[in-house]
Amino acid sequence: MVIQLILGFLLAYALSRVGTPMAREAALRFGVVDRPDGRLKNHAEPVAYLGGLAVFTSFLLSLGMTFEFDQELLALVLASTIVTAVGLIDDFGVLPPKPKMLGQIVAVFVLLKAGVILELVFLPWWARYLITIVWLLGISNAFNLLDIMDGLASGVGFIAGSFLLVVAVLNGRWVVAAFTVALLGALVGFLRYNFPPASIYLGDCGSLFIGLSLGALAMVMGYTEASPLGFLAPLYILALPLIDTAYVTVLRLRAGRRIYHGSPDHFPLRLRRRLGGSTERTVLAIYAAGVVMGGLGLLVMVLDPMATVAVTAVVGAIVIGILVWLARVPMGA
């Protein structure tokens, strides 16, 4: 199985390295690009979308050629395919917000139908279903919101997926590991072209695919064998997109703007200004934060409850302090 995992990763990587330039050429030819607007999009010239399509295709081909599908894996793939298709239509600029959300709900329903649900046994069934829906939609859209800087969402997705792969191996969940390594290989190949300065973007099809996939993967593993508070591990591993979503929501509400109104309130944009305007330094700093949070996620799986509460309190205080510091950065409307 280890050899299969290595082959799955390498195949996805190779396909992504080859497929991403092809996706870029197609996007430029058909005008599927992100155009600068002088406000939030300040790149010098239009940048191709469809990177997410290259990532998804590489992932799917690798998975199909190296691993056998069972019901759980089929459900994960089908749900991922649905959100990728929804995001791709949105990248062409023809999908209003309500149908876009409806497509994501259909993908979540596929996972629920396959039995992919949070295993919080101390909650009633209806609460677990509700939390599952909120979690999956939240993570999916959190990665969509986080995709506001070269290499950010794809790199954070790779780091989070790497820690989920560790959890999958510790759980002996080889099917989950197979899905994860194919995703990681595709992301590494794509990052060659997406790291600053990016020549291609994920687009909504890529960010929604990464978000839903990681959110679903985080749900199908056990975390509480050594510690009853181990279920906090996915919140640590996927902390950065969740923090950014909560952050922009609070700042936009305080400013009297609609939650989905585009604004430079994201903490990575504010951090970049603090770091002198360097996108590369900002992205690397956020990658480092993702590694730290992922490591803490693995740690809380083995800590006793009191230690977990103490660590979470300290981490929470540090995060809030940093966010308050960044909120003082003048960003404009």
Side-chain angles (χ1 to χ4, degrees):
M1 190 65 190
V2 173
I3 294 176
Q4 279 186 285
L5 292 177
I6 294 172
L7 288 175
F9 176 88
L10 293 176
L11 182 57
Y13 168 76
L15 289 169
S16 186
R17 282 294 301 267
V18 173
T20 300
M22 296 170 62
R24 179 178 182 273
E25 183 179 346
L28 293 174
R29 179 177 300 179
F30 293 104
V32 189
V33 297
D34 188 36
R35 303 184 186 279
D37 60 9
R39 189 172 66 92
L40 295 177
K41 303 175 181 182
N42 296 312
H43 38 282
E45 57 186 23
V47 177
Y49 279 140
L50 301 187
L53 184 60
V55 171
F56 174 75
T57 303
S58 303
F59 150 82
L60 188 60
L61 290 174
S62 170
L63 195 61
M65 287 189 282
T66 53
F67 298 100
E68 295 182 3
F69 285 64
D70 63 5
Q71 178 178 328
E72 186 175 69
L73 189 57
L74 281 171
L76 290 169
V77 170
L78 179 55
S80 299
T81 302
I82 292 170
V83 294
T84 301
V86 168
L88 182 60
I89 297 171
D90 192 48
D91 287 337
F92 279 89
V94 294
L95 190 66
K98 289 183 179 178
K100 179 180 176 181
M101 180 58 69
L102 180 61
Q104 295 176 63
I105 292 173
V106 171
V108 171
F109 177 76
V110 168
L111 293 171
L112 292 175
K113 190 171 182 293
V116 178
I117 184 172
L118 286 173
E119 294 298 331
L120 299 177
V121 294
F122 55 87
L123 293 175
W125 68 267
W126 59 267
R128 283 184 283 145
Y129 271 86
L130 180 61
I131 295 173
T132 298
I133 293 169
V134 172
W135 168 258
L136 290 172
L137 292 177
I139 289 293
S140 183
N141 286 283
F143 269 94
N144 192 215
L145 286 173
L146 188 68
D147 190 25
I148 40 83
M149 192 177 293
D150 296 1
L152 186 58
S154 52
V156 169
F158 173 80
I159 292 167
S162 298
F163 283 101
L164 290 176
L165 175 61
V166 173
V167 178
V169 172
L170 292 175
N171 277 253
R173 298 298 308 277
W174 298 110
V175 170
V176 176
F179 187 104
T180 309
V181 295
L183 174 60
L184 294 179
L187 286 175
V188 171
F190 173 72
L191 270 168
R192 164 66 179 78
Y193 307 97
N194 186 234
F195 192 78
S199 61
I200 185 170
Y201 291 157
L202 280 171
D204 279 10
C205 68
S207 58
L208 291 176
F209 162 59
I210 294 170
L212 186 76
S213 297
L214 293 178
L217 290 172
M219 289 173 44
V220 295
M221 294 183 283
Y223 301 93
T224 57
E225 183 176 343
S227 170
L229 294 184
F231 66 85
L232 294 175
L235 294 177
Y236 275 98
I237 294 171
L238 293 165
L240 295 182
L242 293 172
I243 289 170
D244 186 56
T245 298
Y247 193 55
V248 296
T249 299
V250 170
L251 291 184
R252 288 172 184 176
L253 288 175
R254 285 186 60 190
R257 291 189 290 263
R258 288 174 298 183
I259 293 175
Y260 287 100
H261 172 76
S263 66
D265 292 316
H266 300 267
F267 84 80
L269 297 178
R270 292 173 175 271
L271 179 61
R272 180 169 62 183
R273 183 159 293 192
R274 286 287 192 187
L275 295 178
S278 171
T279 298
E280 184 174 348
R281 283 204 303 269
T282 302
V283 169
L284 290 175
I286 294 173
Y287 286 178
V291 171
V292 171
M293 297 301 284
L296 289 172
L298 297 181
L299 183 63
V300 300
M301 291 174 59
V302 297
L303 286 179
D304 65 79
M306 288 301 296
T308 298
V309 170
V311 167
T312 301
V314 171
V315 171
I318 292 172
V319 169
I320 291 173
I322 292 173
L323 295 179
V324 170
W325 174 64
L326 292 176
R328 297 173 181 169
V329 178
M331 298 296 293

